[in-house]
Amino acid sequence: MQIRDLPYPDPGDPDVRSGPRFLIWLGRNQIRGQLKAMSWGLLHQCALAGLPLGAGFAVQAVVDRSGGRLALAGGLIAVLGALIAVGDTMLHRTAVTNWITAAARIQQLLARKTAELGSALTRRVAAGEVVAVSTGDVEKIGWFVEALSRFVAAAAALVIICVGLVLYLPALGVLVALALPVLALGVLPLLPRATRRADFQREKAGKATELASDTVAGLRVLRGIGGEELFLGRYRQASQEVRKAAVRSARMWSLISAIQVLLPGVLLIALVTYGAALARDGKIDVGQLVTVYSAATLLLFPLRHFEEIAMAYSFSRPSAQRAIRVLSLSRVARPSTLDTAPAGDLYDPVTGLMAPEGLFTAVVCGDPDEAGRLADRLGGHAQPEVAKDGAVEGGTADHGVPSVLLGGVPLDELELDAARTAVLVQDKDPVLLSGTLCELLDVPSSGRVSADEALSAAQCEDVLSALAHASADSDGDPMNTRITERGRSLSGGQRQRLALARSLVTDPEALVLDEPTSAVDSHTEARVAAGIKALRKDRTTVAFASSPLLLDLADRVALVHRGTVVAVGTHRELLLGEPRYRAVVTRETDDEVPARPGGDEEVHAIDTHEEIEERA
């Protein structure tokens, strides 16, 4: 398969039962490429093995002073040289093509899985692990595919050459044939230890990568608290651990390489000693000795592929295992029965949370982690909860926890595209991709909300002004100004509001926002909350928050305590009548709650958004 044929229209469904099975699945999908590589490799190896025969003929022709046979030997060597050049070139081409196509297939599978799981992926697998799988592990698996292309041809060539030597000169051919299995399999006992050391090195490298990613992402905060040197020291320590692990791994592979050089050297010494004695006694000709010696020397080249395939498999097997850890993740779903997004109330049967259609519902959770899990479940990202004994909690063994219902229809019965169109979840820490602001807001949407309306509702006027002056190449148009990777050139509040505008443009049936105003000041927060409510009028909106400004604007507020909705009402009603709600919203401690009197005084302790607007 040529490179221009990529990407695949459908990369297929991988076998994720184990790492070796995944590698077999990859090889089975590239059987034509492997057969091409084997054919060209056989041509190359057999032509290479024929050189000793030509050299032996030439030496014997010189000994016999036969010019005709010498010319014939020269012509044979020239033809073999041409075949070697063609075979080696095409073998390299097909082997590298196999490598690239395998890597491309895996990248497509990872990209498809990332799109399927969305933000839930990094909650189940560390971000550094995902990066390591999509880069280093993909490369190692591709290396194994390429090494396999060369190894099959080399193994076949070794068998053919050994049989030929035994038939050509049994006295020396048998010695070579008996020694080859020892040479090929001599390092196998060392491979498990080498693999363990390589795995340990890779694990350390993955942790260092994750630490570096976290440090860079939080660099602004670290500078603010003076923690740069502390985290840099941790990264230096992690880097030294990676270096030490790499040195230990390299020592083992160096030992394997040394054995691969030592054993063939012993064979050549024994072959020359025994062959010279036979030639001295007149039992074989000098040309025959040269032929067998040359053939044995050239056998070292295909033997190197045994070492290469052993190393490649040792590295690729754990890499494949890590890859299937990501590829085996799945969205809990039953067979689809609907392909269009329904409308209606959004209901979670696990917590009892009800978000009526067309209303702005705020949700208060004392535990931020619990809020994040509930937000994931509302978006259809929930996974089965497995007990210690392996049983599935909270639902049936087939489907895990009960699915969230939208208009009475379970989300896991919808096609993935329909589910994403129906319910959109904006994380607490949304990510902005690099590109222009126009590209950022160019997302699948209903078409009912324009980019200007979304930016206005999210109170992005100051962001647009900053972007307009940020780049001379945009002609003063903020929509054409480029945003850096992850929006790091913007403040936390600016990133949060741009991400909110992107979600508002999408205009889903139900929009779930996790702390959408946590990074802005109180004046901006009040205006953002009002903008969301106005723009999402008659649309279902759920906001996880604990800010009184946002809660006071909500049509209804639900309090979730220990995984269950325990109170529902307006902000003021819950503030007066629910102590647990009051403790979360006003940040009261346990000692303060009994001491404070009930009544209207508690309401006045918290500024409403109208009061803040009046003071502003």
Side-chain angles (χ1 to χ4, degrees):
M1 178 170 289
Q2 303 301 317
I3 306 303
R4 61 176 176 270
D5 294 330
L6 300 176
Y8 296 102
D10 180 11
D13 295 319
D15 188 342
V16 295
R17 289 176 290 177
S18 66
R21 288 179 181 273
F22 178 68
L23 294 175
I24 293 172
W25 177 83
L26 272 180
R28 192 169 61 246
N29 279 274
Q30 290 185 225
I31 191 66
R32 292 182 61 186
Q34 294 293 351
L35 290 176
K36 287 181 181 179
M38 184 181 70
S39 300
W40 290 115
L42 279 175
L43 175 63
H44 170 65
Q45 297 289 352
C46 291
L48 194 64
L51 284 179
L53 185 61
F57 283 161
V59 170
Q60 193 61 44
V62 172
V63 172
D64 297 338
R65 298 181 180 274
S66 174
R69 282 189 293 166
L70 182 60
L72 181 61
L76 176 60
I77 292 175
V79 171
L80 291 173
L83 293 177
I84 290 172
V86 173
D88 193 23
T89 300
M90 296 306 299
L91 172 62
H92 177 75
R93 178 184 176 86
T94 53
V96 172
T97 299
N98 289 338
W99 180 346
I100 295 176
T101 50
R105 188 187 295 273
I106 300 172
Q107 289 284 15
Q108 282 185 261
L109 292 171
L110 291 171
R112 185 173 67 177
K113 184 59 63 176
T114 301
E116 176 187 341
L117 296 176
S119 60
L121 175 62
T122 53
R123 290 189 177 91
R124 301 168 64 187
V125 180
E129 183 79 3
V130 176
V131 172
V133 169
S134 61
T135 54
D137 286 329
V138 168
E139 182 179 354
K140 289 181 177 67
I141 295 172
W143 175 33
F144 171 73
V145 172
E146 185 207 16
L148 182 63
S149 302
R150 302 180 186 275
F151 169 75
V152 173
L158 282 176
V159 174
I160 294 173
I161 294 171
C162 286
V163 172
L165 286 178
V166 171
L167 296 177
Y168 176 72
L169 192 61
L172 295 179
V174 172
L175 175 62
V176 174
L178 292 177
L180 275 181
V182 178
L183 299 182
L185 305 177
V187 297
L188 285 183
L190 299 177
L191 287 179
R193 181 177 297 181
T195 302
R196 287 194 297 270
R197 292 190 180 185
D199 288 345
F200 182 74
Q201 174 200 350
R202 192 263 176 203
E203 180 183 352
K204 291 291 184 182
K207 291 181 179 178
T209 301
E210 185 175 354
L211 179 61
S213 177
D214 291 342
T215 302
V216 173
L219 193 57
R220 181 177 297 181
V221 177
L222 292 176
R223 285 175 177 170
I225 63 176
E228 290 178 83
E229 288 301 322
L230 174 63
F231 275 81
L232 287 176
R234 292 179 180 176
Y235 182 71
R236 291 190 190 99
Q237 181 180 357
S239 298
Q240 290 302 312
E241 292 178 357
V242 174
R243 181 188 63 81
K244 293 176 182 177
V247 170
R248 291 185 70 248
S249 178
R251 286 173 179 167
M252 182 57 63
W253 290 111
S254 298
L255 177 60
I256 292 175
S257 298
I259 293 175
Q260 288 286 342
V261 174
L262 175 63
L263 294 181
V266 173
L267 170 62
L268 291 179
I269 293 174
L271 187 63
V272 170
T273 302
Y274 182 54
L278 293 177
R280 183 187 58 198
D281 295 339
K283 296 181 179 179
I284 62 173
D285 297 330
V286 175
Q288 290 177 316
L289 175 60
V290 171
T291 299
V292 175
Y293 174 78
S294 301
T297 303
L298 290 176
L299 283 176
L300 302 184
F301 291 99
L303 273 175
R304 292 178 182 175
H305 294 296
F306 280 79
E307 176 190 356
E308 182 186 16
I309 194 65
M311 292 179 63
Y313 180 74
S314 298
F315 280 103
S316 65
R317 184 182 57 79
S319 293
Q321 195 65 39
R322 287 185 290 266
I324 65 172
R325 281 176 51 194
V326 177
L327 296 177
S328 61
L329 300 176
S330 62
R331 175 173 174 263
V332 176
R334 288 176 282 191
S336 177
T337 58
L338 296 174
D339 56 3
T340 58
D345 299 338
L346 185 66
Y347 175 67
D348 175 32
V350 176
T351 60
L353 175 64
M354 169 67 78
E357 181 182 10
L359 296 184
F360 183 9
T361 302
V363 181
V364 176
C365 292
D367 182 2
D369 293 334
E370 183 180 26
R373 290 191 295 269
L374 179 54
D376 285 343
R377 192 159 58 248
L378 290 177
H381 298 292
Q383 296 298 322
E385 299 178 3
V386 181
K388 293 182 180 180
D389 59 357
V392 179
E393 298 177 348
T396 65
D398 291 333
H399 310 299
V401 296
S403 173
V404 169
L405 306 178
L406 179 62
V409 179
L411 285 183
D412 62 12
E413 290 188 1
L414 295 174
E415 289 286 350
L416 184 60
D417 291 342
R420 294 291 178 265
T421 302
V423 182
L424 174 66
V425 178
Q426 177 175 298
D427 291 337
K428 185 182 300 184
D429 299 311
V431 175
L432 301 183
L433 302 179
S434 60
T436 65
L437 181 56
C438 183
E439 293 170 343
L440 175 70
L441 299 178
D442 184 16
V443 294
S445 65
S446 66
R448 288 187 288 260
V449 178
S450 67
D452 292 338
E453 291 173 332
L455 290 169
S456 177
Q459 303 299 312
C460 293
E461 291 82 3
D462 62 318
V463 185
L464 296 177
S465 177
L467 291 176
H469 295 85
S471 175
D473 299 334
S474 61
D475 299 326
D477 187 356
M479 301 300 291
N480 295 328
T481 302
R482 292 195 65 81
I483 299 173
T484 58
E485 180 187 2
R486 300 178 68 91
R488 289 196 174 96
S489 59
L490 305 172
S491 69
Q494 291 173 329
R495 288 197 301 270
Q496 191 175 58
R497 281 177 284 159
L498 284 180
L500 174 60
R502 180 179 58 188
S503 299
L504 293 175
V505 166
T506 304
D507 191 37
E509 291 291 334
L511 177 61
V512 180
L513 305 172
D514 191 358
E515 294 287 356
T517 58
S518 60
V520 299
D521 59 79
S522 57
H523 300 284
T524 305
E525 183 179 28
R527 294 195 295 270
V528 169
I532 294 174
K533 184 174 181 180
L535 190 64
R536 294 284 299 173
K537 185 179 180 180
D538 299 327
R539 308 284 280 173
T540 306
T541 306
V542 180
F544 289 82
S546 58
S547 166
L549 295 173
L550 191 149
L551 297 172
D552 193 48
L553 276 174
D555 296 318
R556 66 199 306 269
V557 181
L559 173 64
V560 178
H561 181 68
R562 295 181 179 178
T564 304
V565 174
V566 295
V568 177
T570 65
H571 168 61
R572 296 170 184 266
E573 291 172 350
L574 295 177
L575 199 61
L576 290 172
E578 179 54 62
R580 291 171 294 188
Y581 179 84
R582 186 166 56 247
V584 174
V585 174
T586 63
R587 278 45 168 199
E588 290 177 333
T589 64
D590 293 339
D591 296 335
E592 293 172 333
V593 173
R596 295 187 61 178
D600 294 338
E601 292 81 6
E602 295 179 357
V603 179
H604 297 306
I606 300 176
D607 293 333
T608 65
H609 70 282
E610 291 92 346
E611 293 169 339
I612 288 181
E613 289 288 351
E614 290 175 0
R615 289 203 299 270

